[in-house]
Amino acid sequence: MMNAMSTDPLSAPTTPGLRLPARPEAPPRTGLGLSMRLEFAESLRSRWFHFYSVVVVGLMLLLITTGISESRVLGFTGLSRLLVTYIQIMMAVLPLFIVVTTARSMVGDREAGNLEYMLAFPVSLRVWYWGRFLARLGLVLAPIALSLALAAGYGMVRGHSVPWTHIALYSGLTAALTACFLGIGFLISALSRSTEVALGASLLVWLALVALLDLLLLSVLIQGQFIPEFVIGIALANPLQSFRTASMILFDPQLILLGPASYVILDHFGVTGYVVWAMIYPTVLGLVFAALGYWRFSRGDLV
Amino acid sequence: MITIDRLTKRFDRRAVLDELTLSIDAGDRIALIGSNGAGKTTLFRCLLGHYGHQGTISFDGSAGRRREASALARVAFVPQLPPPLRMPVGELLAFAERGAGADAALMREIAGRMGIDLDEVKSRPFYRLSGGQKQKILVTVALGRAVDLMIFDEPAANLDPAARAVFIDLLAERKEASMLIASHRLEEVAPLVNRVIELDRGRVVLDDEVVDRLRAGEFRMATITLAQPHEPFAAALAGWGFATDPAGLRFTGPVPAAETFRFLGLLARYGSLIDSLALDQDVMERV
């Protein structure tokens, strides 16, 4: 009910009675923790996160219930077989999910007017931007961590040996891939002026990286139009390829599955060196893209 | 407090703000008027640091970097269109409290006066509220903060008449803060403001101090005669403290100078009943 004192705009003047707000001792400011918490809460409410979580955890449950850990393919069995399959599927699902949902997020907020309102609060752009980045990183990784924990729990119950080292390394590779595509998504979002453009650009980037996986590279090699070093350079620069190769190398140290290209990798990096490369390179790449996005975002019109 | 010097903002080479120069002093309550596209919203966005621009905007003589958090801590803003935030109302209020220093108890009091029960709406997503409810929440957040400048972009556009009146009352009670209010209804905000600025194509074409005769604490004597008795009209004027003759045709009473526009608005509603109207020109002190 409206306050009886002011039910009519043309009613008699009211008596002043509103006390003044307490003035904080220090100027109020939104910190990184609050910015992250806001993004956490916002994402936990969003459909993309629900759908993503169901897909990521659901896939693991599907692999477990279909008994894939009991099968033996190319020498892999038990949890190793389960993890190899899961991580290969993740390579297809994860980047697409991340880049599409992230690229749309900021530009969508800008179009809707959310940015205009939220950025009128005393929050520094740096805190707001990187808070979102870190919160999303945690959110994307949480369902994967849950899936890997489910797999480990299942393995222990079934009496399989649990490859803890591999699980830890897979987690690291996944985190690196996530950071990379989050960075790409943030950059696209900062550059795009509309949701449609952001969506189109993110799909284009994803398609280009998928197209540059080794099947296409092999065909380019066969045609002999480029020198092999150039083609291998592209493969090493493709974060999808580095993730794929590194996930393979953990269970197939000779990279038999990869064929002749494995010699280049093993000769130049070695197993440990390549795994380290596959963790550091995509992370750095993602952070560079995100930083470029921040640079562009902070210098242009925010709304 | 704020000095704007040759502020220019262009979109595709078209200047929406064209070397706009203006100063806002502490205690200024400014009605910003102008037709659509005059540059009002663009000016707000430049002040809030949302837009890059040419020219300078200085807070207390210091033209810092664009969008300084310390400067934004001194400014509260209510946009023309409420954003479709998905967060529950309670979360928005908690954010305003923790991140912008809003006073929780005061926000509850303000919301209550605006007709919003925060306990009832706190778990509801903000975007699911009606347009008027959203606007009331945004006003609640703005008024709950201890700031030096309040920026309102058509703040009463979504409010019903009753809520508009409460809103105007609430603003009138916040005497310590400067205000910049964009409104198409000058008559509505006129009692609040001491300065009117009109923008046209990105330039200030009018910057006028409101005459002192309308300042708060002074009164005018009004005398109204009706053609025939009218009970609702008599009741409305009784609320303003008017005396009535036994026939119920002649009303006399004081009108606070600062409420003159609102009083005339009331009379407009009963215009067809009024035979004569006198509003004493001389400012009188209330005994």
Short mmCIF file of all heavy atoms in Angstrom, two decimals, chain A residues 231-280:
data_model
loop_
_atom_site.label_atom_id
_atom_site.label_comp_id
_atom_site.label_asym_id
_atom_site.label_seq_id
_atom_site.Cartn_x
_atom_site.Cartn_y
_atom_site.Cartn_z
N VAL A 231 53.41 -25.70 -41.36
CA VAL A 231 52.18 -26.41 -41.01
C VAL A 231 52.25 -26.88 -39.55
O VAL A 231 51.28 -26.76 -38.80
CB VAL A 231 51.98 -27.61 -41.96
CG1 VAL A 231 50.73 -28.40 -41.57
CG2 VAL A 231 51.87 -27.13 -43.39
N ILE A 232 53.42 -27.37 -39.17
CA ILE A 232 53.57 -27.82 -37.77
C ILE A 232 53.47 -26.62 -36.82
O ILE A 232 52.90 -26.71 -35.74
CB ILE A 232 54.90 -28.57 -37.60
CG1 ILE A 232 54.79 -29.92 -38.33
CG2 ILE A 232 55.23 -28.81 -36.12
CD1 ILE A 232 56.10 -30.61 -38.57
N GLY A 233 53.98 -25.50 -37.28
CA GLY A 233 53.87 -24.27 -36.48
C GLY A 233 52.41 -23.91 -36.23
O GLY A 233 52.03 -23.51 -35.13
N ILE A 234 51.60 -24.04 -37.27
CA ILE A 234 50.17 -23.76 -37.11
C ILE A 234 49.55 -24.72 -36.10
O ILE A 234 48.77 -24.33 -35.22
CB ILE A 234 49.43 -23.87 -38.47
CG1 ILE A 234 49.88 -22.73 -39.39
CG2 ILE A 234 47.92 -23.83 -38.28
CD1 ILE A 234 49.29 -22.83 -40.78
N ALA A 235 49.95 -25.99 -36.21
CA ALA A 235 49.40 -26.99 -35.29
C ALA A 235 49.79 -26.67 -33.85
O ALA A 235 48.97 -26.78 -32.94
CB ALA A 235 49.89 -28.38 -35.68
N LEU A 236 51.01 -26.25 -33.66
CA LEU A 236 51.45 -25.92 -32.31
C LEU A 236 50.76 -24.65 -31.79
O LEU A 236 50.53 -24.51 -30.59
CB LEU A 236 52.97 -25.71 -32.28
CG LEU A 236 53.82 -26.98 -32.41
CD1 LEU A 236 55.29 -26.61 -32.57
CD2 LEU A 236 53.63 -27.87 -31.19
N ALA A 237 50.45 -23.77 -32.71
CA ALA A 237 49.82 -22.51 -32.30
C ALA A 237 48.33 -22.67 -32.04
O ALA A 237 47.72 -21.82 -31.40
CB ALA A 237 50.04 -21.45 -33.36
N ASN A 238 47.75 -23.74 -32.57
CA ASN A 238 46.31 -23.97 -32.38
C ASN A 238 46.07 -24.55 -30.98
O ASN A 238 46.46 -25.68 -30.70
CB ASN A 238 45.82 -24.93 -33.45
CG ASN A 238 44.31 -25.13 -33.39
OD1 ASN A 238 43.66 -24.74 -32.42
ND2 ASN A 238 43.75 -25.76 -34.43
N PRO A 239 45.43 -23.81 -30.09
CA PRO A 239 45.25 -24.31 -28.73
C PRO A 239 44.43 -25.60 -28.68
O PRO A 239 44.64 -26.44 -27.81
CB PRO A 239 44.52 -23.17 -28.02
CG PRO A 239 44.00 -22.29 -29.09
CD PRO A 239 44.87 -22.46 -30.27
N LEU A 240 43.53 -25.77 -29.64
CA LEU A 240 42.75 -27.02 -29.68
C LEU A 240 43.67 -28.20 -29.96
O LEU A 240 43.56 -29.27 -29.37
CB LEU A 240 41.69 -26.94 -30.77
CG LEU A 240 40.36 -26.29 -30.42
CD1 LEU A 240 39.43 -26.36 -31.63
CD2 LEU A 240 39.71 -27.00 -29.25
N GLN A 241 44.59 -27.98 -30.91
CA GLN A 241 45.52 -29.06 -31.28
C GLN A 241 46.47 -29.38 -30.14
O GLN A 241 46.75 -30.55 -29.86
CB GLN A 241 46.31 -28.64 -32.52
CG GLN A 241 47.25 -29.71 -33.04
CD GLN A 241 46.51 -30.95 -33.52
OE1 GLN A 241 45.72 -30.88 -34.44
NE2 GLN A 241 46.77 -32.08 -32.88
N SER A 242 46.95 -28.34 -29.45
CA SER A 242 47.89 -28.60 -28.35
C SER A 242 47.18 -29.37 -27.23
O SER A 242 47.75 -30.27 -26.62
CB SER A 242 48.50 -27.31 -27.85
OG SER A 242 47.51 -26.45 -27.35
N PHE A 243 45.92 -29.03 -26.98
CA PHE A 243 45.16 -29.76 -25.96
C PHE A 243 44.97 -31.21 -26.38
O PHE A 243 45.17 -32.14 -25.60
CB PHE A 243 43.78 -29.09 -25.78
CG PHE A 243 42.86 -29.82 -24.84
CD1 PHE A 243 42.96 -29.61 -23.47
CD2 PHE A 243 41.90 -30.71 -25.31
CE1 PHE A 243 42.11 -30.28 -22.60
CE2 PHE A 243 41.06 -31.38 -24.45
CZ PHE A 243 41.17 -31.16 -23.08
N ARG A 244 44.62 -31.38 -27.65
CA ARG A 244 44.35 -32.72 -28.15
C ARG A 244 45.60 -33.61 -28.08
O ARG A 244 45.56 -34.74 -27.60
CB ARG A 244 43.86 -32.61 -29.59
CG ARG A 244 43.40 -33.89 -30.18
CD ARG A 244 43.10 -33.68 -31.64
NE ARG A 244 42.45 -34.85 -32.21
CZ ARG A 244 42.38 -35.08 -33.49
NH1 ARG A 244 42.89 -34.24 -34.35
NH2 ARG A 244 41.79 -36.17 -33.94
N THR A 245 46.70 -33.06 -28.55
CA THR A 245 47.94 -33.83 -28.58
C THR A 245 48.41 -34.14 -27.15
O THR A 245 48.84 -35.26 -26.85
CB THR A 245 49.03 -33.06 -29.35
OG1 THR A 245 48.49 -32.68 -30.61
CG2 THR A 245 50.25 -33.92 -29.56
N ALA A 246 48.32 -33.12 -26.28
CA ALA A 246 48.78 -33.33 -24.90
C ALA A 246 47.91 -34.35 -24.18
O ALA A 246 48.42 -35.16 -23.39
CB ALA A 246 48.77 -32.00 -24.15
N SER A 247 46.62 -34.33 -24.45
CA SER A 247 45.75 -35.32 -23.79
C SER A 247 46.06 -36.72 -24.31
O SER A 247 45.93 -37.71 -23.58
CB SER A 247 44.28 -34.97 -24.00
OG SER A 247 43.95 -34.99 -25.36
N MET A 248 46.48 -36.81 -25.57
CA MET A 248 46.86 -38.11 -26.13
C MET A 248 48.17 -38.61 -25.53
O MET A 248 48.32 -39.77 -25.18
CB MET A 248 47.06 -37.97 -27.64
CG MET A 248 45.88 -38.29 -28.48
SD MET A 248 46.51 -38.28 -30.16
CE MET A 248 45.22 -37.41 -30.96
N ILE A 249 49.11 -37.68 -25.42
CA ILE A 249 50.47 -38.03 -25.03
C ILE A 249 50.52 -38.61 -23.61
O ILE A 249 51.42 -39.39 -23.27
CB ILE A 249 51.39 -36.79 -25.16
CG1 ILE A 249 52.77 -37.17 -25.65
CG2 ILE A 249 51.56 -36.04 -23.86
CD1 ILE A 249 53.63 -35.95 -26.03
N LEU A 250 49.53 -38.23 -22.80
CA LEU A 250 49.50 -38.72 -21.42
C LEU A 250 49.30 -40.23 -21.37
O LEU A 250 49.82 -40.91 -20.49
CB LEU A 250 48.40 -38.02 -20.64
CG LEU A 250 48.65 -36.54 -20.31
CD1 LEU A 250 47.45 -35.93 -19.61
CD2 LEU A 250 49.89 -36.39 -19.47
N PHE A 251 48.50 -40.74 -22.32
CA PHE A 251 48.21 -42.18 -22.31
C PHE A 251 48.93 -42.92 -23.43
O PHE A 251 48.96 -44.14 -23.46
CB PHE A 251 46.70 -42.41 -22.42
CG PHE A 251 45.99 -41.98 -21.18
CD1 PHE A 251 45.39 -40.73 -21.09
CD2 PHE A 251 45.96 -42.81 -20.07
CE1 PHE A 251 44.77 -40.33 -19.95
CE2 PHE A 251 45.34 -42.40 -18.91
CZ PHE A 251 44.74 -41.16 -18.83
N ASP A 252 49.50 -42.18 -24.35
CA ASP A 252 50.19 -42.78 -25.47
C ASP A 252 51.50 -42.00 -25.67
O ASP A 252 51.63 -41.19 -26.58
CB ASP A 252 49.27 -42.67 -26.72
CG ASP A 252 49.95 -43.17 -27.98
OD1 ASP A 252 50.96 -43.91 -27.88
OD2 ASP A 252 49.48 -42.79 -29.08
N PRO A 253 52.47 -42.23 -24.78
CA PRO A 253 53.70 -41.40 -24.78
C PRO A 253 54.46 -41.45 -26.10
O PRO A 253 55.23 -40.54 -26.39
CB PRO A 253 54.53 -42.00 -23.64
CG PRO A 253 53.55 -42.73 -22.78
CD PRO A 253 52.49 -43.23 -23.69
N GLN A 254 54.27 -42.49 -26.90
CA GLN A 254 54.97 -42.56 -28.19
C GLN A 254 54.17 -41.86 -29.30
O GLN A 254 54.61 -41.79 -30.44
CB GLN A 254 55.19 -44.02 -28.59
CG GLN A 254 56.00 -44.82 -27.57
CD GLN A 254 57.36 -44.20 -27.32
OE1 GLN A 254 58.06 -43.83 -28.26
NE2 GLN A 254 57.72 -44.05 -26.04
N LEU A 255 52.98 -41.43 -28.96
CA LEU A 255 52.06 -40.77 -29.91
C LEU A 255 51.85 -41.62 -31.17
O LEU A 255 51.88 -41.11 -32.30
CB LEU A 255 52.59 -39.38 -30.28
CG LEU A 255 52.34 -38.29 -29.22
CD1 LEU A 255 52.96 -36.97 -29.68
CD2 LEU A 255 50.86 -38.10 -28.96
N ILE A 256 51.65 -42.90 -30.93
CA ILE A 256 51.42 -43.82 -32.06
C ILE A 256 50.16 -43.40 -32.81
O ILE A 256 50.09 -43.46 -34.03
CB ILE A 256 51.29 -45.27 -31.53
CG1 ILE A 256 52.63 -45.69 -30.93
CG2 ILE A 256 50.86 -46.23 -32.63
CD1 ILE A 256 52.56 -46.92 -30.05
N LEU A 257 49.15 -42.93 -32.04
CA LEU A 257 47.87 -42.54 -32.64
C LEU A 257 48.02 -41.36 -33.60
O LEU A 257 47.24 -41.20 -34.52
CB LEU A 257 46.86 -42.17 -31.55
CG LEU A 257 46.40 -43.30 -30.64
CD1 LEU A 257 45.60 -42.74 -29.48
CD2 LEU A 257 45.56 -44.30 -31.42
N LEU A 258 49.05 -40.56 -33.36
CA LEU A 258 49.19 -39.33 -34.15
C LEU A 258 49.91 -39.56 -35.47
O LEU A 258 49.77 -38.78 -36.40
CB LEU A 258 49.95 -38.29 -33.32
CG LEU A 258 49.78 -36.83 -33.71
CD1 LEU A 258 48.31 -36.41 -33.62
CD2 LEU A 258 50.61 -35.93 -32.81
N GLY A 259 50.68 -40.62 -35.56
CA GLY A 259 51.38 -40.89 -36.81
C GLY A 259 52.70 -40.15 -36.90
O GLY A 259 53.28 -39.76 -35.88
N PRO A 260 53.15 -39.89 -38.15
CA PRO A 260 54.49 -39.34 -38.35
C PRO A 260 54.71 -37.98 -37.69
O PRO A 260 55.84 -37.64 -37.32
CB PRO A 260 54.60 -39.20 -39.88
CG PRO A 260 53.54 -40.08 -40.42
CD PRO A 260 52.47 -40.17 -39.42
N ALA A 261 53.65 -37.18 -37.55
CA ALA A 261 53.82 -35.85 -36.95
C ALA A 261 54.35 -35.93 -35.52
O ALA A 261 54.92 -34.97 -35.00
CB ALA A 261 52.49 -35.11 -36.96
N SER A 262 54.18 -37.12 -34.91
CA SER A 262 54.62 -37.28 -33.52
C SER A 262 56.13 -37.09 -33.38
O SER A 262 56.61 -36.63 -32.35
CB SER A 262 54.22 -38.65 -33.00
OG SER A 262 54.89 -39.64 -33.75
N TYR A 263 56.89 -37.41 -34.45
CA TYR A 263 58.35 -37.29 -34.34
C TYR A 263 58.74 -35.84 -34.08
O TYR A 263 59.65 -35.55 -33.31
CB TYR A 263 59.02 -37.79 -35.63
CG TYR A 263 58.86 -39.28 -35.82
CD1 TYR A 263 58.10 -39.80 -36.85
CD2 TYR A 263 59.48 -40.17 -34.92
CE1 TYR A 263 57.93 -41.15 -37.00
CE2 TYR A 263 59.31 -41.53 -35.07
CZ TYR A 263 58.53 -42.02 -36.11
OH TYR A 263 58.37 -43.35 -36.25
N VAL A 264 58.08 -34.91 -34.77
CA VAL A 264 58.41 -33.50 -34.60
C VAL A 264 58.20 -33.09 -33.15
O VAL A 264 59.03 -32.43 -32.52
CB VAL A 264 57.54 -32.63 -35.54
CG1 VAL A 264 57.88 -31.14 -35.35
CG2 VAL A 264 57.74 -33.04 -36.98
N ILE A 265 57.04 -33.50 -32.61
CA ILE A 265 56.69 -33.11 -31.25
C ILE A 265 57.66 -33.72 -30.25
O ILE A 265 58.21 -33.04 -29.38
CB ILE A 265 55.24 -33.54 -30.94
CG1 ILE A 265 54.28 -32.70 -31.78
CG2 ILE A 265 54.91 -33.40 -29.45
CD1 ILE A 265 52.87 -33.19 -31.79
N LEU A 266 57.89 -35.01 -30.40
CA LEU A 266 58.74 -35.70 -29.42
C LEU A 266 60.19 -35.24 -29.52
O LEU A 266 60.88 -35.11 -28.51
CB LEU A 266 58.62 -37.21 -29.61
CG LEU A 266 57.23 -37.77 -29.28
CD1 LEU A 266 57.13 -39.24 -29.64
CD2 LEU A 266 56.89 -37.57 -27.81
N ASP A 267 60.64 -34.98 -30.76
CA ASP A 267 62.02 -34.53 -30.93
C ASP A 267 62.24 -33.13 -30.35
O ASP A 267 63.27 -32.84 -29.76
CB ASP A 267 62.41 -34.52 -32.42
CG ASP A 267 62.60 -35.94 -32.94
OD1 ASP A 267 62.57 -36.87 -32.11
OD2 ASP A 267 62.75 -36.10 -34.17
N HIS A 268 61.26 -32.27 -30.55
CA HIS A 268 61.43 -30.87 -30.12
C HIS A 268 61.07 -30.63 -28.66
O HIS A 268 61.66 -29.78 -28.02
CB HIS A 268 60.60 -29.93 -31.00
CG HIS A 268 61.20 -29.69 -32.34
ND1 HIS A 268 61.01 -30.55 -33.40
CD2 HIS A 268 62.02 -28.71 -32.79
CE1 HIS A 268 61.65 -30.11 -34.46
NE2 HIS A 268 62.30 -28.98 -34.11
N PHE A 269 60.07 -31.33 -28.17
CA PHE A 269 59.56 -31.03 -26.81
C PHE A 269 59.82 -32.15 -25.81
O PHE A 269 60.07 -31.89 -24.64
CB PHE A 269 58.04 -30.79 -26.86
CG PHE A 269 57.64 -29.50 -27.52
CD1 PHE A 269 57.38 -29.46 -28.87
CD2 PHE A 269 57.53 -28.34 -26.78
CE1 PHE A 269 56.99 -28.28 -29.49
CE2 PHE A 269 57.13 -27.15 -27.38
CZ PHE A 269 56.87 -27.13 -28.75
N GLY A 270 59.65 -33.39 -26.25
CA GLY A 270 59.59 -34.50 -25.30
C GLY A 270 58.21 -34.53 -24.68
O GLY A 270 57.43 -33.58 -24.82
N VAL A 271 57.91 -35.61 -23.95
CA VAL A 271 56.56 -35.75 -23.38
C VAL A 271 56.29 -34.64 -22.35
O VAL A 271 55.30 -33.91 -22.43
CB VAL A 271 56.39 -37.15 -22.74
CG1 VAL A 271 55.06 -37.24 -21.99
CG2 VAL A 271 56.46 -38.23 -23.81
N THR A 272 57.19 -34.51 -21.39
CA THR A 272 56.97 -33.51 -20.32
C THR A 272 56.93 -32.10 -20.89
O THR A 272 56.06 -31.29 -20.55
CB THR A 272 58.10 -33.62 -19.27
OG1 THR A 272 58.20 -34.98 -18.86
CG2 THR A 272 57.79 -32.74 -18.06
N GLY A 273 57.87 -31.83 -21.78
CA GLY A 273 57.94 -30.49 -22.37
C GLY A 273 56.66 -30.13 -23.10
O GLY A 273 56.17 -29.00 -22.99
N TYR A 274 56.10 -31.12 -23.81
CA TYR A 274 54.90 -30.81 -24.58
C TYR A 274 53.69 -30.57 -23.65
O TYR A 274 52.87 -29.68 -23.89
CB TYR A 274 54.56 -31.91 -25.60
CG TYR A 274 53.53 -31.41 -26.58
CD1 TYR A 274 53.91 -30.58 -27.64
CD2 TYR A 274 52.18 -31.69 -26.42
CE1 TYR A 274 52.97 -30.06 -28.51
CE2 TYR A 274 51.24 -31.17 -27.28
CZ TYR A 274 51.64 -30.36 -28.34
OH TYR A 274 50.71 -29.84 -29.20
N VAL A 275 53.62 -31.38 -22.59
CA VAL A 275 52.50 -31.19 -21.64
C VAL A 275 52.61 -29.81 -20.97
O VAL A 275 51.60 -29.11 -20.82
CB VAL A 275 52.48 -32.33 -20.58
CG1 VAL A 275 51.45 -32.04 -19.49
CG2 VAL A 275 52.16 -33.66 -21.24
N VAL A 276 53.82 -29.44 -20.63
CA VAL A 276 54.01 -28.11 -20.03
C VAL A 276 53.61 -27.02 -21.03
O VAL A 276 52.91 -26.06 -20.70
CB VAL A 276 55.48 -27.93 -19.58
CG1 VAL A 276 55.76 -26.48 -19.18
CG2 VAL A 276 55.79 -28.86 -18.41
N TRP A 277 54.07 -27.20 -22.29
CA TRP A 277 53.71 -26.26 -23.35
C TRP A 277 52.18 -26.16 -23.50
O TRP A 277 51.62 -25.07 -23.60
CB TRP A 277 54.34 -26.71 -24.67
CG TRP A 277 53.71 -26.10 -25.91
CD1 TRP A 277 52.77 -26.66 -26.72
CD2 TRP A 277 53.97 -24.80 -26.46
NE1 TRP A 277 52.44 -25.82 -27.73
CE2 TRP A 277 53.16 -24.66 -27.60
CE3 TRP A 277 54.82 -23.76 -26.10
CZ2 TRP A 277 53.15 -23.51 -28.39
CZ3 TRP A 277 54.81 -22.61 -26.89
CH2 TRP A 277 53.99 -22.49 -28.01
N ALA A 278 51.52 -27.32 -23.49
CA ALA A 278 50.07 -27.35 -23.71
C ALA A 278 49.30 -26.74 -22.53
O ALA A 278 48.12 -26.42 -22.67
CB ALA A 278 49.60 -28.79 -23.94
N MET A 279 49.98 -26.60 -21.41
CA MET A 279 49.30 -25.94 -20.28
C MET A 279 49.59 -24.44 -20.26
O MET A 279 48.70 -23.64 -20.03
CB MET A 279 49.76 -26.57 -18.95
CG MET A 279 49.11 -27.90 -18.68
SD MET A 279 49.38 -28.35 -16.98
CE MET A 279 49.00 -30.09 -17.03
N ILE A 280 50.85 -24.11 -20.52
CA ILE A 280 51.23 -22.71 -20.40
C ILE A 280 50.78 -21.88 -21.60
O ILE A 280 50.22 -20.79 -21.46
CB ILE A 280 52.76 -22.58 -20.19
CG1 ILE A 280 53.12 -23.15 -18.82
CG2 ILE A 280 53.23 -21.13 -20.29
CD1 ILE A 280 54.60 -23.18 -18.54
#
